[in-house]
Amino acid sequence: MLKRILRLGHVFKPRQTINFSYKNMQSEDSKEQVITEGLATVKTSGNVFYNQVQEFNRDLSISVLNVFSRQYQKEKIKKQNDNSGQHEEELKVGIKNENGITILEALSATGLRSIRYAKEIAGVKQIVANDISRNAVENIKLNVNENNVEDLITVSENDAIMLMYQHRLKERFDAIDLDPYGCPSRFLDSAVQAINDGGLLLVTATDMAVLAGNSPETCYSKYGAISLRIKSCHEMALRILLQCIESHANRYGRYIEPLLSLSADFYIRVFVRVHTSAHKCKFTTSKLSMVYQCTGCDTFTLQPLGIVKTSDDNKQIKFKLPVGPSVGSACEHCGNSFHLGGPIWSAPIHCMDFVQEILQTAPTHLKTLKRIHGVLSVITEELPDCPLYFILERLSGTLHVETPPILAFRSALLNAGYHVSFTHTHKTSIKTNAPAKVIWDIMRCWESKHPLKEKRKAEKSPGNNILAKQPEKQYCFDLHRDANPQSRREGFVRFQENPLPFWGPGVRSTAMVGDDKMLKSRLNQGKRKRDQSEDKEEK
């Protein structure tokens, strides 16, 4: 121990040199950069968080809020007495609208998003740009002044959670944007209380490793659901986040209405409206399901938490518990056991009318407009009532057979009378209302045309267990006219692009990290290797 202290003392003796080098590094990190995005131009220092890949996120949010602003104003006028004489007014961009919406950006960082909202969304009354960092707040104030949007943006230096709790009873917001670094769950309790009835909640989650099944125990502690390492993990991540928001809302007699749920790049993003109705909260159990995933062939089965039954005249509603489990002790296809995940949101995750309106009215100046049109076009083609999906390569890999062309497989389902679609989360996804038994029968028929290699037939595997059974009927792979959807035929930018420079969630902002902590972090870099080399020298 004494030797270690002496060594540390020898290494860290020239304190002035260390302080000098740290100041140099700090000044390099704090270099000012100018960012132009959309109609906004902001200046930021290196220790304030900014991720340029999130421009698609911000462009899409602007498109969504423009549609929401128009709809929300119409609904407010409709709720008021028709004799009041109030008529729908023209919503203007960049000008304060007294009857417009109020927006909270709880975690503003550079303030770029708030400034873009002020300059690119029609019908805004007020935007609160909040951040807990004093450096970030000063930066936001400077950028607000330079963009001439002082009359629309109020800058706040506060803890985001406490700020939302302060607005839970009065002066609620019409829209709250939560775009944190990592998991958003700690903000949800205050957010669902601080938003107006019918208001819009925009939530981003970037901890995809947790949501995609790499750490199911962590997922449960953060989101209240077990994640699975399933091929449709990106859609399951969206559904886990939606059930988490619904869970927080239900505690206060509120429920959510998903408008758009998106998986893009390294994050997921959901846009939901929050409504108030204790009666409607009773329907929540029928919107949630547990997921049984076969450990051998990855076949999934959903078990709803509740059932809603209505009378023939639709006047009486009964809430019942389902009979379960919906699977046996072993998979009926391959004989393996199951993993249990969830609960997940199993109701529709998009409002197709809302998505269509975004497509028709998205601002033309957006840099990522082509990608917005492409992704939303795929979403409009998704089957709304078929949670999760299969992956074509995974089906073939389980059986060790040649992968069928995607259009041939889709045609087999369509020729058999089932529905099928892609999803925006995966290029070779198979979202269908056909039961899993039909999926594997189609693969058996394909294997009969493209036989398995002899050396594979002797193996004991889930795939051979599936192939040991005969298909109930023969399926036709002739090309169906609807097999190739419009978004694919016209070459839309349907899926995320290959990673670009600065792709990924980036690093957490260091604006609130003290100098002492930063210095300690820098000094500890390579510490283990230094200690090992010094130990070898002593020996």
Side-chain angles (χ1 to χ4, degrees):
M1 186 69 181
L2 180 59
K3 290 181 180 180
R4 177 63 58 86
I5 294 173
L6 290 174
R7 286 203 306 273
L8 290 175
H10 177 72
V11 172
F12 296 142
K13 187 176 180 179
R15 298 175 62 89
Q16 294 179 348
T17 304
I18 293 171
N19 289 335
F20 175 76
S21 62
Y22 170 64
K23 286 180 180 179
N24 288 341
M25 288 186 286
Q26 186 183 33
S27 61
E28 290 178 1
D29 288 347
S30 302
K31 284 183 179 179
E32 187 179 82
Q33 56 178 324
V34 179
I35 301 163
T36 299
E37 185 179 293
L39 302 182
T41 299
V42 300
K43 296 178 180 178
T44 178
S45 58
N47 61 354
V48 176
F49 184 79
Y50 166 72
N51 193 333
Q52 65 188 62
V53 179
Q54 289 274 43
E55 182 174 1
F56 173 71
N57 182 324
R58 290 183 281 269
D59 284 354
L60 181 63
S61 300
I62 288 168
S63 302
V64 170
L65 281 166
N66 268 308
V67 175
F68 169 75
S69 177
R70 289 191 295 270
Q71 291 187 356
Y72 197 65
Q73 189 202 39
K74 291 178 182 177
E75 290 173 5
K76 284 199 299 185
I77 294 175
K78 189 175 181 181
K79 287 180 182 178
Q80 295 173 349
N81 295 329
D82 295 334
N83 299 330
S84 62
Q86 184 177 355
H87 300 284
E88 183 179 347
E89 65 180 53
E90 181 183 358
L91 302 179
K92 298 180 180 179
V93 179
I95 299 175
K96 189 169 185 175
N97 294 259
E98 291 300 331
N99 294 319
I101 61 173
T102 57
I103 305 173
L104 168 65
E105 187 193 1
L107 309 159
S108 294
T110 62
L112 173 62
R113 187 183 295 261
S114 291
I115 294 171
R116 290 198 62 189
Y117 285 176
K119 302 185 79 168
E120 300 176 47
I121 296 175
V124 173
K125 180 181 180 181
Q126 183 191 33
I127 299 171
V128 177
N130 177 74
D131 203 285
I132 195 173
S133 164
R134 181 160 298 177
N135 293 336
V137 169
E138 294 301 323
N139 198 57
I140 295 169
K141 289 179 179 178
L142 176 65
N143 289 324
V144 167
N145 291 333
E146 292 192 355
N147 283 270
N148 299 317
V149 287
E150 304 94 325
D151 56 334
L152 286 173
I153 297 179
T154 301
V155 183
S156 167
E157 180 187 344
N158 210 330
D159 177 86
I161 297 174
M162 294 307 300
L163 177 62
M164 288 186 285
Y165 276 135
Q166 292 168 8
H167 286 263
R168 70 187 187 277
L169 298 178
K170 59 180 181 179
E171 297 181 354
R172 288 176 170 175
F173 300 100
D174 298 318
I176 297 178
D177 194 327
L178 298 174
D179 190 4
Y181 182 94
C183 176
S185 61
R186 64 186 182 276
F187 301 101
L188 296 179
D189 184 80
S190 54
V192 297
Q193 297 182 71
I195 197 162
N196 271 324
D197 188 18
L200 182 66
L201 191 58
L202 307 84
V203 184
T204 301
T206 62
D207 54 338
M208 292 305 298
V210 172
L211 286 164
N214 286 353
S215 184
E217 67 283 353
T218 303
C219 186
Y220 183 80
S221 66
K222 291 185 175 181
Y223 295 94
I226 297 292
S227 57
L228 297 173
R229 297 192 70 174
I230 192 170
K231 288 301 178 181
S232 53
C233 59
H234 290 93
E235 183 179 320
M236 188 169 183
L238 286 168
R239 295 180 180 277
I240 287 175
L241 178 56
L242 288 173
Q243 73 81 28
C244 184
I245 301 173
E246 175 82 349
S247 174
H248 284 87
N250 284 170
R251 298 166 194 172
Y252 306 100
R254 315 192 87 175
Y255 67 98
I256 66 169
E257 175 195 0
L259 299 181
L260 175 62
S261 305
L262 191 82
S263 173
D265 301 325
F266 52 86
Y267 62 90
I268 57 175
R269 176 84 158 164
V270 298
F271 304 84
V272 301
R273 296 191 70 175
V274 180
H275 302 283
T276 304
S277 173
H279 174 69
K280 290 290 183 69
C281 289
K282 294 181 179 181
F283 290 83
T284 294
T285 54
S286 62
K287 301 175 185 176
L288 304 179
S289 296
M290 303 300 291
V291 181
Y292 289 93
Q293 177 204 10
C294 175
T295 58
C297 62
D298 268 358
T299 302
F300 57 86
T301 305
L302 270 63
Q303 171 72 52
L305 297 188
I307 297 175
V308 177
K309 291 189 176 182
T310 57
S311 59
D312 295 336
D313 56 0
N314 292 326
K315 291 184 177 180
Q316 283 189 333
I317 298 176
K318 290 186 177 181
F319 301 94
K320 295 187 175 182
L321 293 176
V323 178
S326 53
V327 296
S329 58
C331 176
E332 63 175 311
H333 309 292
C334 71
N336 281 55
S337 56
F338 291 95
H339 283 149
L340 179 61
I344 67 168
W345 181 271
S346 51
I349 61 176
H350 314 293
C351 175
M352 294 305 178
D353 291 338
F354 190 87
V355 176
Q356 286 286 1
E357 191 167 349
I358 299 173
L359 279 169
Q360 296 169 7
T361 61
T364 56
H365 71 274
L366 300 177
K367 186 177 178 181
T368 63
L369 183 61
K370 286 186 178 180
R371 186 179 177 190
I372 290 174
H373 273 287
V375 172
L376 295 188
S377 296
V378 177
I379 287 175
T380 59
E381 296 167 351
E382 288 184 13
L383 295 177
D385 52 355
C386 298
L388 306 183
Y389 52 86
F390 296 93
I391 299 296
L392 191 56
E393 293 88 343
R394 176 57 179 167
L395 295 173
S396 303
T398 299
L399 303 183
H400 301 293
V401 299
E402 177 185 337
T403 303
I406 186 68
L407 296 186
F409 194 93
R410 288 169 59 91
S411 295
L413 287 165
L414 292 168
N415 291 330
Y418 296 103
H419 300 295
V420 63
S421 76
F422 287 106
T423 78
H424 73 282
T425 61
H426 201 283
K427 292 183 179 181
T428 57
S429 54
I430 303 292
K431 182 181 279 289
T432 179
N433 63 340
K437 187 176 183 179
V438 171
I439 297 293
W440 290 119
D441 272 356
I442 292 175
M443 290 303 298
R444 292 185 186 103
C445 293
W446 176 259
E447 191 274 338
S448 67
K449 300 177 183 295
H450 305 80
L452 189 67
K453 293 181 180 179
E454 290 297 327
K455 65 177 182 179
R456 290 286 190 184
K457 291 182 179 180
E459 296 177 354
K460 291 184 178 180
S461 67
N464 283 345
N465 293 340
I466 293 172
L467 292 175
K469 303 175 183 178
Q470 293 298 317
E472 291 187 353
K473 70 173 189 176
Q474 293 298 313
Y475 289 86
C476 176
F477 292 92
D478 293 344
L479 186 64
H480 192 279
R481 63 179 183 180
D482 297 327
N484 196 15
Q486 180 183 0
S487 62
R488 190 174 185 270
R489 288 197 309 268
E490 299 186 8
F492 291 165
V493 182
R494 300 179 298 145
F495 303 101
Q496 62 191 48
E497 300 171 356
N498 290 330
L500 304 171
F502 310 108
W503 188 90
V507 295
R508 190 185 298 272
S509 169
T510 59
M512 288 298 294
V513 179
D515 291 352
D516 293 340
K517 188 171 183 180
M518 286 296 297
L519 176 59
K520 182 179 178 181
S521 175
R522 293 176 189 274
L523 294 178
N524 284 336
Q525 292 179 8
K527 179 176 177 292
R528 183 177 298 176
K529 291 183 178 180
R530 291 200 306 267
D531 292 344
Q532 291 175 352
S533 62
E534 290 171 4
D535 288 339
K536 289 181 180 179
E537 291 177 0
E538 287 185 357
K539 293 179 180 178

